[in-house]
Structures are given as C-alpha cells and as structure tokens.
Amino acid sequence: MGVFAEDETVEKHISSLFGRCKWQAGVIVGSVTEKRHYAVAVIPTPFEDPESPGDFASLDKGWVVLHAEQVRQSLPGGLDIIGVYLFGSGKVDYAAKLRQLAYAVCRGGTDVETSQFGEGTDAVPTRARLAVHVCADTKKLTCRTYEIETPTASARPTEWKYKSFVSKWQTLTCGVDVSATVDLTAPRKGEPLQLETAIQASLQPECARIADAAVIFGEGVQLSRPSAELPETPIVKATLFVPVGLGLATRGVDPIVSVVANVQLAGELTGLAVVPPKSTVAEGARALKADLVRSLQARCLSVCRGWDEDTADEGGDVNGSAAVIQKAVARLPVRVAAPLVGPILLSDYITEGDVEENSDFAETIERFQEVFGLHVDAASIKPLETCAPEKINTADMPILSASTTAHTTAATQSTAQTAKCGDSGGNNTMLLVAATVLLVAVVVGALLSS
C-alpha cells in the first residue's frame, strides 16, 4: 500500500518550508482505502507560544491532539486525520516522537465512530497510519506506517508519490431535519454536571439511528447492492431512511436513568462527504453517516460553549447546572463552509442570527486561519443550510426527522409520533412494529415505482 499526496496542497506546502522554516509539525488530512492512502492536505500545528517556538523535542503531545480534534470537526465525511508529519533537521532523533504523536492523534479518529457504519470487515479497510519526516537539510522525505491498533507493531516503509487526484473526487450530500429532546442525566455525587460530556452521551441514541439508517444514492442504485459503484456524477444526492425508535433498543442503553434536565435541539443538518472515484455504495453510506454524526456533535458542542459563556458572564457555574440548562431551547447552529482544495469544503458552525446579521463571517475566517493556516474571504464562505455552495443544490434535498422517521408520507409521520408518545408496555411495542412495517412498505413501493 502506497501514498498518493495531492501536489496542489501537500507538495506545494512542503516545498515552501525549505529556507524559511526551521521546523514544523502537523497533521495529515486524507482518506484510507483498501489500496492506498490519499494525503489531501497537511495542516501545521500552531506553536503553543509563537514568540518562543522552541524545538521539536519540546512539542507537547496534548497540544497536537487538541489541534487535531479541532481540525477533525471541520472535515467532511470521507476524510480524517491519517497521520502526522515533521519538517526539521535530519540530525534530530524524530522517530520515537513521531510514532508517539501518530498513536495519540489517530487512535481517536473517525474510524472509531464509523466502525459501526460499515458492513463486516469493510467498515475499516486498514488501521495503518502515516508518520512522515521531511529533512530540512537534504530534502529527503521518509514515510512510514504504523498499525495503531497494535502498540508494539514495527514501522513499515511506505512509498510516497505526488499526484493530482482531488479534482476527480465525488461529493455526496443529503438533508436531515433534526428535532430531538436530549435528556441530561445526573452526574455522580459531588461532581459538577459536565455539559458537553452529558450532551455527547445523550446523543448516542440519535447517532445509533443514523448508523441504522438505509441509504439510497441517486435513482438506480439498489439497497441490496452495497458493493455497487456510486453513480458517475460529480455530485451525488442521497436519501436516508431512519428506523423508528430503534436507537435505544439496538444499543442496549438503559432507559431508567436520573434525568435532571431536558434540552430541546432542533435544526437542519446538511450531510457532506467526499469519496474517490469508483467508490461503492457501502463506502459512500459510511462516509455520509460519519459526517452526520460528526456534524451533529460539533453543533451541540457549539451550543454548549455558548451556554457556558452566557453562564460565566452571569457569574454562574461554567460547568452548567440544571437550573440553567432547563431553560435552554436551542436551534442547532448553521453549517457554513469554505473551499480547501478541489471539491473539498471545510465547515464551521455559527448561529442563524450571525448568518442573517453578519455577512463578513469574521469569526469563521479567524478560526480557519488559526486552525488550518488558511486565508479565506467572506465571499468564499457559504451557509450550506440556506445558501448552498457552487454546484451543490440543497433546496430539494429529502428531509426527515432523526427522532422519528422519514417524512415519506403524512401517514408514516403520524404513526411515528404516535409510537413515540404512546404508553410503555405491549401497546407501545405493537405501535413501533406497525410503524416499521408501514415504513418498509412505503420504501419498497417507491423503489418499485421508480
């Protein structure tokens, strides 16, 4: 397995370092398939203290991991952090530190989340991740891979080639309307309520429903053919069918918990993913589902930070409290995006008010500059939920409720709401079964009539 590195971004960035930079470390963004690694971009980790950058030996692992998490939140589905790199003198013993960073950064990546989205061994093609050193003295590039699931695994030399390929990748997109009540459970005795952790845990049933969803791409790709290739078009629209009420049942979540507050979360999610040409239906579905989960979690974190800031301004507990949380009815932030390279877009999340009132996107521009070192202007930033980027039309995308079922017909929506609001026990179970059978019948009828 070799590495294809995009020449427009990766080669251009590395070549620019010679003669102007003493050392630099960062993360490699890309995609991993069964045949090869695709390195789409290298993102330098900012110096923790710009006025005193120190050297590579003083680089803090936690700082690199924190930066990697911020990068990961902005990536579309199909992309993740696939390795780390170092530019510096060949006289420095870099191998041990690079290995340490690769394990720390990549083990927490999207592969852990998306392993539930695949089918069998197709879920994770390989866990080999990259550690790249570029010698500032000789310009030699050394690429090694590590199996990060095996801490004692030895490094393997890997071929690295520059090539232009991103422009040929496909963009996958879908629309999902989320309207959910998130229950926040009581923390352990004597501990403060960690708002972000509580919401992330409470989102697991919604994430499970996304994982269980059936996906249809275009009009001619059948659900029964996960190995079929995606339609050969630059933009492929998808429809998601979310099962009714299966999130809790299939994941074994205990419904008997001590709930201290409820948070009303509502908003539109635009799913966005990129995949190499000739990707399969299973690979496309996995990328889109991973993006929806990542996007939902990132938006909720954005809401949490807003609450924490408001509470701190009022002199309250910045960890959150039931009294503050119970008053919150939040509209999920809007997804805005800016181009990185080719069809690949980076995302940020801002409130609807900021979209309507401010057209300069000052905070988003600042964030892209700090996290990615990317210079963008306001004209290149587009809100995906209200104003789709060029060539991506979200106006006629299918809309469904992640907390009930697809809005296929008024009858299925009504049945799902009845099942959701019904009493517990045998009647509730029968309603859920009836709603599921009705939904399957509607989907099959739509496929046969197409």
Side-chain angles (χ1 to χ4, degrees), residues 51-237:
E51 296 183 359
S52 180
D55 54 24
F56 182 62
S58 63
L59 181 63
D60 180 59
K61 180 179 68 175
W63 178 256
V64 179
V65 171
L66 177 61
H67 174 245
E69 291 174 352
Q70 294 176 340
V71 170
R72 187 176 283 116
Q73 284 186 3
S74 295
L75 299 178
L79 293 185
D80 197 3
I81 294 174
I82 64 171
V84 294
Y85 76 94
L86 165 67
F87 173 87
S89 173
K91 300 178 182 179
V92 178
D93 184 11
Y94 62 86
K97 191 66 173 286
L98 265 180
R99 178 191 179 108
Q100 183 186 47
L101 290 178
Y103 275 78
V105 167
C106 297
R107 292 194 71 174
T110 309
D111 283 341
V112 176
E113 300 170 1
T114 58
S115 59
Q116 61 180 319
F117 300 149
E119 299 184 2
T121 57
D122 291 338
V124 181
T126 175
R127 293 292 285 164
R129 295 298 179 263
L130 307 177
V132 176
H133 175 253
V134 182
C135 180
D137 305 321
T138 64
K139 298 186 178 182
K140 179 183 178 181
L141 186 147
T142 303
C143 179
R144 295 184 174 91
T145 60
Y146 293 95
E147 291 289 342
I148 60 173
E149 290 293 340
T150 308
T152 59
S154 58
R156 295 182 178 180
T158 303
E159 186 180 18
W160 177 282
K161 289 184 178 180
Y162 289 113
K163 188 173 182 179
S164 179
F165 57 85
V166 171
S167 61
K168 299 178 183 179
W169 281 26
Q170 291 178 286
T171 298
L172 312 179
T173 183
C174 68
V176 176
D177 189 26
V178 172
S179 178
T181 299
V182 176
D183 293 328
L184 300 182
T185 59
R188 295 180 180 179
K189 186 176 181 180
E191 296 181 0
L193 175 60
Q194 299 293 336
L195 189 59
E196 294 183 4
T197 303
I199 286 187
Q200 292 284 62
S202 191
L203 283 176
Q204 288 307 309
E206 295 300 322
C207 297
R209 290 185 178 93
I210 294 174
D212 291 332
V215 184
I216 299 177
F217 291 97
E219 299 178 354
V221 182
Q222 301 298 321
L223 288 172
S224 59
R225 299 177 57 204
S227 60
E229 292 184 2
L230 292 169
E232 295 182 359
T233 57
I235 309 295
V236 182
K237 296 180 182 179

Side-chain angles (χ1 to χ4, degrees), residues 117-433:
F117 300 149
E119 299 184 2
T121 57
D122 291 338
V124 181
T126 175
R127 293 292 285 164
R129 295 298 179 263
L130 307 177
V132 176
H133 175 253
V134 182
C135 180
D137 305 321
T138 64
K139 298 186 178 182
K140 179 183 178 181
L141 186 147
T142 303
C143 179
R144 295 184 174 91
T145 60
Y146 293 95
E147 291 289 342
I148 60 173
E149 290 293 340
T150 308
T152 59
S154 58
R156 295 182 178 180
T158 303
E159 186 180 18
W160 177 282
K161 289 184 178 180
Y162 289 113
K163 188 173 182 179
S164 179
F165 57 85
V166 171
S167 61
K168 299 178 183 179
W169 281 26
Q170 291 178 286
T171 298
L172 312 179
T173 183
C174 68
V176 176
D177 189 26
V178 172
S179 178
T181 299
V182 176
D183 293 328
L184 300 182
T185 59
R188 295 180 180 179
K189 186 176 181 180
E191 296 181 0
L193 175 60
Q194 299 293 336
L195 189 59
E196 294 183 4
T197 303
I199 286 187
Q200 292 284 62
S202 191
L203 283 176
Q204 288 307 309
E206 295 300 322
C207 297
R209 290 185 178 93
I210 294 174
D212 291 332
V215 184
I216 299 177
F217 291 97
E219 299 178 354
V221 182
Q222 301 298 321
L223 288 172
S224 59
R225 299 177 57 204
S227 60
E229 292 184 2
L230 292 169
E232 295 182 359
T233 57
I235 309 295
V236 182
K237 296 180 182 179
T239 305
L240 271 70
F241 295 93
V242 179
V244 181
L246 296 181
L248 289 174
T250 57
R251 301 300 164 181
V253 179
D254 185 1
I256 304 176
V257 293
S258 177
V259 178
V260 296
N262 299 107
V263 181
Q264 301 290 331
L265 295 172
E268 182 184 3
L269 304 184
T270 296
L272 191 66
V274 290
V275 292
K278 300 186 180 300
S279 293
T280 65
V281 169
E283 292 168 340
R286 186 168 65 246
L288 266 181
K289 291 177 181 180
D291 179 76
L292 290 171
V293 169
R294 179 189 286 164
S295 178
L296 180 59
Q297 292 176 342
R299 296 177 204 230
C300 289
L301 287 176
S302 178
V303 172
C304 291
R305 295 188 187 102
W307 286 338
D308 285 349
E309 291 173 359
D310 292 342
T311 304
D313 291 341
E314 296 172 4
D317 181 7
V318 296
N319 287 315
S321 64
V324 175
I325 301 170
Q326 285 174 341
K327 299 177 182 178
V329 178
R331 183 74 180 172
L332 288 174
V334 173
R335 185 176 196 170
V336 298
L340 174 63
V341 57
I344 297 175
L345 301 176
L346 298 176
S347 297
D348 191 22
Y349 301 95
I350 62 178
T351 64
E352 288 183 324
D354 289 338
V355 175
E356 296 173 357
E357 297 174 7
N358 302 317
S359 59
D360 57 357
F361 298 106
E363 293 185 2
T364 296
I365 292 174
E366 181 180 2
R367 181 175 181 275
F368 284 157
Q369 171 62 35
E370 292 179 351
V371 176
F372 292 90
L374 184 66
H375 298 277
V376 298
D377 53 31
S380 63
I381 301 175
K382 305 296 182 183
L384 298 190
E385 274 83 22
T386 57
C387 181
E390 186 178 2
K391 295 185 179 181
I392 299 181
N393 180 16
T394 61
D396 56 352
M397 288 182 180
I399 302 299
L400 56 89
S401 173
S403 59
T404 55
T405 183
H407 289 186
T408 310
T409 65
T412 56
Q413 184 180 12
S414 175
T415 304
Q417 290 294 341
T418 303
K420 182 179 178 181
C421 299
D423 295 332
S424 61
N427 291 337
N428 188 41
T429 301
M430 292 183 67
L431 285 171
L432 288 175
V433 173

